[in-house]
Each structure stands twice: as structure tokens, then as C-alpha cells.
Amino acid sequence: MADYTIKDVRDITRRRRKTIVIVSVVSALLLFSIILFSKPEPIYEAEAAIKVEKVTTVGELLTGVTKMGDPAITAIAMIRSFHVLEAVAKQAGMIPPNIKTEDVLESPQYMAVIKDMENKILPGKDPRGGNIIIIKTQHTVPATAKKLVSLVAESYRKVAFQERNKNVIEEMKIVANKLAEAEVNMTKSREKLNSYRKSLELTTITDEHRVILDRYIDRKRRVDDLRFRIARINEDIKILKSGLTLNDAKNWIYTPTGENVGIIFALNSTLKDLKIKEDSLLTHYTPLHPEVIAVREQKSGIVRLMITDLEAEMEQHEEEMRVIEDDMKLTYDKLKAIPDAGKMYSILEKDVSANEELYNKILLKQQEVTVKKAEMAEEVSMVSYPVDPKVPINRVTFIGNAIVSFFFAVIIGFIGGFIHEAVDTVPHKMESLAEMFGIPLLTTISDWNKPEMFKLVRNKYPDISDKDTMRYLSLSSHFLSDSAVVEEYRAVVPNLLLMAKESDIKALAILSASGGEGATIFAANLAVSLAQAGRTVALVDANIRSPGIHELFGIKNKPGLTDILMGNYEWENVIRKITDLMLGEIQPSHLLSPAGLDSLYILTSGEKVENPSNFINSKKMETTIEMLRNSFDFVIIDTSPALQSSETSILARKVDAAILLTEYEKLPRFTLLKFRTHMQDMKVKLAGLVLNKSKKTEV
């Protein structure tokens, strides 16, 4: 891993600030988009508090039936039970109110509503202690959250009341139905007796016959009663074997007799509590969980005890019924001797008496149920009522995520910048470029394509066109001779004068690895700078593929170098002087000041040819360069990109030396190394390196 100093980090940050900013902005937008699109709806939480009291009625005290366990735990399980959630969903309009429970259980849509509501209802014990239950509901609408928690508390209160007093309520219904039925039977029997009495003139029944008849009717009533009891016990056993408690069966009223009165009630109450506990556990655990299995084993044991007791009681009733049936047969045989009319009268009379007796018993039972109704317990009461929540519970999370995402985006931006630096093969140190080529760095050209340079040209030449503005900027050595960038071109002149004196180097080719690095502009400005230094200079445009010298100086491209190489002209006839420039596109007054252009001679590229390398490699090209070399102090030759054309390498061997030019931070290292190797293979003499920071492509 590279070791970075503080200066390196500062330089990398400055150099890659654009990458850092772009990566940071993109990362921030991406992270914020993820947060925004994954942002949950604002959730509001409302809460209410209820108190659950353990109430024991007088009847429970007398029978010894009491409930064990923590009522708060049972209440928490019941609050999230199906019956409470179903009632809330119907009252809230989430489920049609008239739909049956069976249909709700069979509908995946309605069960999904129940399940979703179960997740939004959060009951729990008050941490301060006591039998206070805190009910919380969550919803995206504050008013709905408040409404839901109110409905949950009220629905649970009703369900708890119904569950607590279920036996009394069912008993009231059955007693009322039985009383109405007994009243109808009593009225009918009276009407039959009166009607039969009117049909007889006179009927007398002896006391003996009356006693026998009374005995037969009594035995018949007792047999009917025992059969009813046996049928009910059979039904209870079926209910228990099916896995339900006796309270789960519709219209169940157990009429206690014998010694197991309190036992059955106590076992059934315990079984009911175990079932509630099992339902509560199943909301959190699977049926195979040890606690669930333990509860089911307890239930199975209690069910077996209850079935054993009920079967014993049923056998007792069956034995008693067999004895009574035998006695009833004997009594019936005695009744056969009673006269038919008297017997019918007595039967009707006894039927009336029996119905009146049954009616009075049921009426007495109704009075007992009325007393029980007065003892019906209300175990749940409201402690605090809900209010509209004002602030969503997930707001802080969203803001925190946004802040963290911003910091992560900045960090990712810096990481992106350093990754860009690591994978970037473009050299960034000027000294390393000179070391790579093994030649001295002649000068560094600043970026001239800047707003302040445009402003400088406009101020100095206010009447020129936009095209001329770009031309004047490109030829800043002449048109902006007093600017700082010109001094960077002139810095090469002393080195060239020294080389010309010591090594007789006069013909120089300006070489670049690829197009757009500014070789043409540098060649033109170097030629102008040498001319301003009092030397005669021939500027040759050998970039036949993409010539640009004629555009810079505003002159025609034909005839030129290719016309000479084809033998159509001599160089003396096609080379341009100051007078030719004054007849071109540039205003003559702008050409005369400052002085120096009168020492500059320009040889344009000329007619475009199909295969430039054949002309550059010709003997005529060598002769032309030699004649120019003998006629001028310096010959500056602009060439095509060395790695993109073959003629440049050929031309580089025909001149005295070459100046390599590359744009700062443009070409990767492997391209520069390829450029260096190519020059070494061609055995080109290199005069030095020019580092051009211009972002402007060649004109």
C-alpha cells in the first residue's frame, strides 16, 4: 500500500477534487434516494391504560372454585386474541360487521387484516407494577391510532366480561327459554283437563288407584330426567374428547348432582385457564415448543379426570334408571285395573300437577339466576384514555440516517478520489516526465485558453471577430507579446541558440505522441519567438494529414510542401513572407507590431495527398530540408502525431533534432513509454521536453 504524506494527500485532493465531488454527490443522491424510497410512512403510537382486577363472587367462594395465576398475563394474551381483534376490525370497518366468524377464519384477506392488526397492538404490563395494562397501537394516521387503542380497550372489556360471566349469561338464556316452554305446557295441560272434565258427567277415583297412578307418573318423570342427564353427560364427554372445554360448547349448562359438584367446576375452570395460556404461547411459539407441550399434557390430564368423573356419574344414573324402570313396569301393571275414564282423568290431573310443579321449579331457578346476574363481575376498567399522537415514533431514525448517509457519501467521495488516483496511470509530477524521457525539461506552457486571456485579447483588439480572437490567443507570442504565457515560449529560445552554436542544430521537428496536445500552436509560437530574437526562421507545416499553420496565420494552404515534393514548385516560389501575411485574413496593422514577423517565413503543407509517408521519405524532402537549413537560421517543422502516423518517424530522422511535446496530465504512462521507445528505436536526437498544459486542441 502506498505511503502518503500530508502534502500528497493535499495534492491528490486538489487534483481529484472533481472526482471527489462527483462521487460524493452521486453517493449522497443514491443514499438519500435509498433512504427516501425505503423511508417508512410516519408511524404514530397511541396508548391507553386499563386495570385488571381479580374478582371472586360469592358463588365461587361457596363452591370453592377460584382462579389461580396472574390476571395481567392472561389479560395480555386475551387482548391479542382472535376474538378481540375480530371485534376491533369489525368496529373499525376493516372487516364487514355482518360477516360470520367462520367466514373470517376461512378468508386469507380477512386473516391478513387480523394478523396486521396483531402486529400493531402492543399490550404490556405497566413497569411501575400493579395490575395495570398499557395498550399501545401504531398506525400511519394519528386519529386511527387513537381510535384503534380505544376500540381495543373497549372490545377487550366486553370480551372479558362475556368470558367471565359466560355461564351466567348462557344460564339466563336457557332458563328463560325453559320457563316459556313450561308455561306453554302447563297451559295446554290445564286446557286438556278442563275439556275432559266437561265431557264427563261424574267420575270417582279411589285413593288406592290415585296412589298407584301418582307412583307411575313420578317414576316416569324420574326416568325422563335421568335420561336427560345421561344424554347431557354423554355430550359433555364428547366435547372434552374433541379438545374443547365445556365453556366452549354452545348452550352448555351443567346441573350439578352428587359429590362431584365443585370438582367438575374447578377442573373445567382450570382447563379453561390452561387453554388461554396455550393460545397465548402459540402466538409466540410453535406447537412443538416445550412449554406448549407441557400445557397440553396438563390439559390432557385434567380432561381424563373430568371424563372419569362424568363416566362414574353416568353409570350411577344408568343404574338408578334401571331400578326405576323395573318399578315403573310393576306400577303400570297395577294401573291396568283402573277404569279407563277414571284413569284418563287422573292422568290429565297429574299432568297438570306435574307441569305446575315444573313451572314453579323453573321460576325458582330464574330467581336464582337473577341473583347470579346481580353478582356478575366487571374485572376490567379504564385507567387512562388515549389522546391524538403528535409526533411519529420513527422520525428521529430518518433524520439520523440522512446525517449518517451524508457523512458516508463524503467518505465514499474521498475513497473514490484515491481509487481514481491509484488506477490513473497519467504522471502528475513534471520532474517524473523529464526523467521518463531522459531529456531536460525546456519549458512549461501554461493553459492559455482561459477567460482572462480572452478578456486581454478583447481589450487590446476590440474590433476583431470571434474567429480572430481564437487566432490571436493561439499566436500569443506576437499578439500578446507582453503577457506571461509568451515568456514561457521565449524560455526555449536561449537553449536553442546554445544548441545551434555548439552542435549546429538548426532544423527542429516538434513531435507529439497524439493529436490535440498543442504541437502546432507551440511550433508557431516558437518560430515567432525565434524571429523576435532576430533570427531568420522557416516554419514548415509537415502535418500533411491535418494541417493547421495556414489557419493560424490566415493564409492559403496551397501551394505548399507537397507541391514542392511533387516537383511542381521550388521552395522559393511558395514560401510565405510578411507581405503574404498582410494580404491574408489578419489586419496588416496587427502584423507590424511588435516587430519580428518580417524574419518569419512560412511553408504551408500544400495539396493534400493520399500517402504522405512516400513524399516525406523521398530524396526531395531531404533536399528541401537541407536547402531551408542553409537559407535560414532555424527551421521549425510541425509534424503529425508520432504514434498515429508513420511519416513523422521518417521525418524525425531527417532533421538535426526533435523537441518532444506532451500535454500535462493527458496521456497515461504506458502511452508515454511507448512514445519514448518509438523515438529511441528511430534513433531520433532529442533536444528536450516541453510540457504543455493547454486543453485546447490543435487549430
Side-chain angles (χ1 to χ4, degrees), residues 286-303:
T286 64
L288 298 178
H289 193 274
E291 292 188 27
V292 177
I293 294 174
V295 170
R296 288 183 172 177
E297 290 177 352
Q298 294 179 36
K299 283 176 57 183
S300 300
I302 292 172
V303 168

Side-chain angles (χ1 to χ4, degrees), residues 22 50 63 166 255 273 290 317 372 394 486 560 643:
I22 292 174
I50 60 173
T63 58
K166 182 177 181 179
T255 305
D273 291 341
H317 290 334
K372 291 181 180 180
N394 57 347
V486 175
L643 298 181

Side-chain angles (χ1 to χ4, degrees), residues 575-601:
I575 199 165
R576 272 68 166 194
K577 310 177 186 61
I578 183 64
T579 54
D580 297 303
L581 297 180
M582 295 176 68
L583 296 175
E585 298 177 2
I586 302 176
Q587 297 182 28
S589 59
H590 296 166
L591 294 170
L592 297 176
S593 179
L597 290 184
D598 53 343
S599 299
L600 178 64
Y601 298 84

Side-chain angles (χ1 to χ4, degrees), residues 389-651:
K390 303 298 182 183
V391 180
I393 61 176
N394 57 347
R395 184 185 67 171
V396 175
T397 303
F398 172 73
I399 296 176
N401 288 341
I403 294 174
V404 172
S405 298
F406 172 77
F407 283 108
F408 268 114
V410 174
I411 293 173
I412 293 172
F414 275 93
I415 293 174
F418 276 82
I419 291 175
H420 188 184
E421 180 70 20
V423 301
D424 186 12
T425 59
V426 176
H428 299 288
K429 294 183 178 180
M430 300 179 185
E431 298 81 2
S432 63
L433 286 169
E435 293 174 0
M436 181 186 301
F437 287 98
I439 54 177
L441 181 63
L442 298 178
T443 186
T444 301
I445 309 298
S446 301
D447 185 5
W448 53 265
N449 192 5
K450 295 180 179 179
E452 54 267 27
M453 297 295 289
F454 279 88
K455 185 177 180 181
L456 187 61
V457 172
R458 287 293 188 182
N459 292 337
K460 190 172 183 180
Y461 306 98
D463 56 340
I464 62 175
S465 64
D466 293 339
K467 181 179 180 180
D468 284 339
T469 301
M470 292 301 301
R471 179 180 288 140
Y472 285 23
L473 278 173
S474 301
L475 288 175
S476 56
S477 293
H478 176 76
F479 296 104
L480 297 175
S481 58
D482 52 351
S483 64
V485 71
V486 175
E487 297 301 324
E488 296 171 347
Y489 291 115
R490 292 172 179 167
V492 185
V493 173
N495 292 326
L496 295 183
L497 294 177
L498 183 60
M499 283 187 243
K501 183 178 181 180
E502 293 180 351
S503 304
D504 193 26
I505 294 176
K506 300 174 67 177
L508 294 165
I510 310 300
L511 304 182
S512 63
S514 62
E517 295 190 75
T520 299
I521 294 176
F522 175 76
N525 282 279
L526 177 61
V528 171
S529 299
L530 287 169
Q532 290 173 345
R535 301 300 188 271
T536 57
V537 182
L539 176 59
V540 180
D541 190 352
N543 188 356
I544 300 174
R545 297 178 184 271
S546 180
I549 295 296
H550 67 286
E551 288 286 347
L552 285 176
F553 289 92
I555 56 179
K556 294 181 179 181
N557 192 33
K558 303 173 187 177
L561 178 61
T562 56
D563 299 285
I564 297 172
L565 298 179
M566 287 187 291
N568 297 332
Y569 296 91
E570 295 296 328
W571 70 269
E572 295 91 343
N573 298 326
V574 298
I575 199 165
R576 272 68 166 194
K577 310 177 186 61
I578 183 64
T579 54
D580 297 303
L581 297 180
M582 295 176 68
L583 296 175
E585 298 177 2
I586 302 176
Q587 297 182 28
S589 59
H590 296 166
L591 294 170
L592 297 176
S593 179
L597 290 184
D598 53 343
S599 299
L600 178 64
Y601 298 84
I602 301 172
L603 183 59
T604 59
S605 64
E607 186 73 31
K608 190 172 184 180
V609 293
E610 291 297 328
N611 195 352
S613 58
N614 291 338
F615 292 91
I616 297 296
N617 197 29
S618 64
K619 186 67 177 178
K620 185 69 174 177
M621 186 65 189
E622 293 182 6
T623 304
T624 302
I625 293 175
E626 185 63 26
M627 287 189 294
L628 292 174
R629 188 177 183 279
N630 295 330
S631 302
F632 299 95
D633 294 330
F634 286 97
V635 179
I636 306 299
I637 304 174
D638 180 33
T639 63
S640 302
L643 298 181
Q644 299 174 0
S645 58
S646 59
E647 64 269 16
T648 302
S649 303
I650 298 171
L651 179 62

Side-chain angles (χ1 to χ4, degrees), residues 6-23:
I6 295 178
K7 182 178 181 302
D8 292 333
V9 173
R10 186 169 60 250
D11 291 341
I12 293 172
T13 303
R14 175 189 57 79
R15 189 161 50 245
R16 303 302 177 191
R17 61 181 178 273
K18 187 174 181 180
T19 301
I20 293 172
V21 171
I22 292 174
V23 174

